[in-house]
Amino acid sequence: KQWYQRRVRGCRDQKEAAQGWIDTWWAGSDKKRNENWRWAAEEGRKLMDKIVDEIRGGGKTEASFKEWLHNKWKDCDCASQKHWNGGHDSHESNRVQRAHRDCIGDIKKMI
């Protein structure tokens, strides 16, 4: 459960940081980057909730859960390699997506 609390707290902090940048008066030049960052943090929180639901639900076999989790890892890995606007608009969201991927990797090691 500690991985869940750490990642959800990290997502919340990243979402708040992104929103703080969006709310600044000079945010116009980086608005899309900061919106992408905020979106990645929110999606990560939803993903962690979904993982916990899958664990608690117990509807999958161990093998199917591992496969499902690996697919989520691949989704985050792909999302962490986006390249929008010369990389400028994807830098922060990619960093957050890598953190989601790494958390899922840690979960996979526990199984």
Side-chain angles (χ1 to χ4, degrees):
K1 184 124 184 181
Q2 287 179 334
W3 60 264
Y4 171 78
Q5 293 168 340
R6 255 192 325 271
R7 190 69 229 129
V8 168
R9 188 173 35 250
C11 290
R12 183 196 62 226
D13 293 348
Q14 289 298 311
K15 183 179 177 185
E16 289 173 3
Q19 187 64 51
W21 281 103
I22 290 168
D23 292 342
T24 62
W25 65 270
W26 64 85
S29 63
D30 289 330
K31 185 175 183 183
K32 187 63 177 169
R33 179 193 72 156
N34 297 329
E35 288 172 344
N36 292 341
W37 180 12
R38 180 182 62 191
W39 173 85
E42 183 60 24
E43 287 300 304
R45 188 200 52 79
K46 289 177 187 176
L47 177 58
M48 294 304 122
D49 288 343
K50 189 166 182 98
I51 291 170
V52 167
D53 289 345
E54 288 292 331
I55 291 169
R56 289 183 180 152
K60 291 182 174 14
T61 65
E62 183 178 339
S64 65
F65 178 73
K66 285 180 177 181
E67 181 180 349
W68 177 84
L69 196 59
H70 182 69
N71 288 335
K72 296 301 174 191
W73 182 92
K74 286 193 301 189
D75 292 345
C76 290
D77 188 51
C78 289
S80 75
Q81 298 176 43
K82 298 294 183 189
H83 193 75
W84 304 306
N85 190 21
H88 178 75
D89 289 348
S90 50
H91 177 74
E92 293 297 330
S93 57
N94 285 354
R95 183 181 53 78
V96 172
Q97 290 288 357
R98 281 190 300 274
H100 304 333
R101 179 200 62 201
D102 294 347
C103 181
I104 292 171
D106 290 343
I107 296 167
K108 287 171 60 176
K109 290 175 189 171
M110 288 186 248
I111 300 174

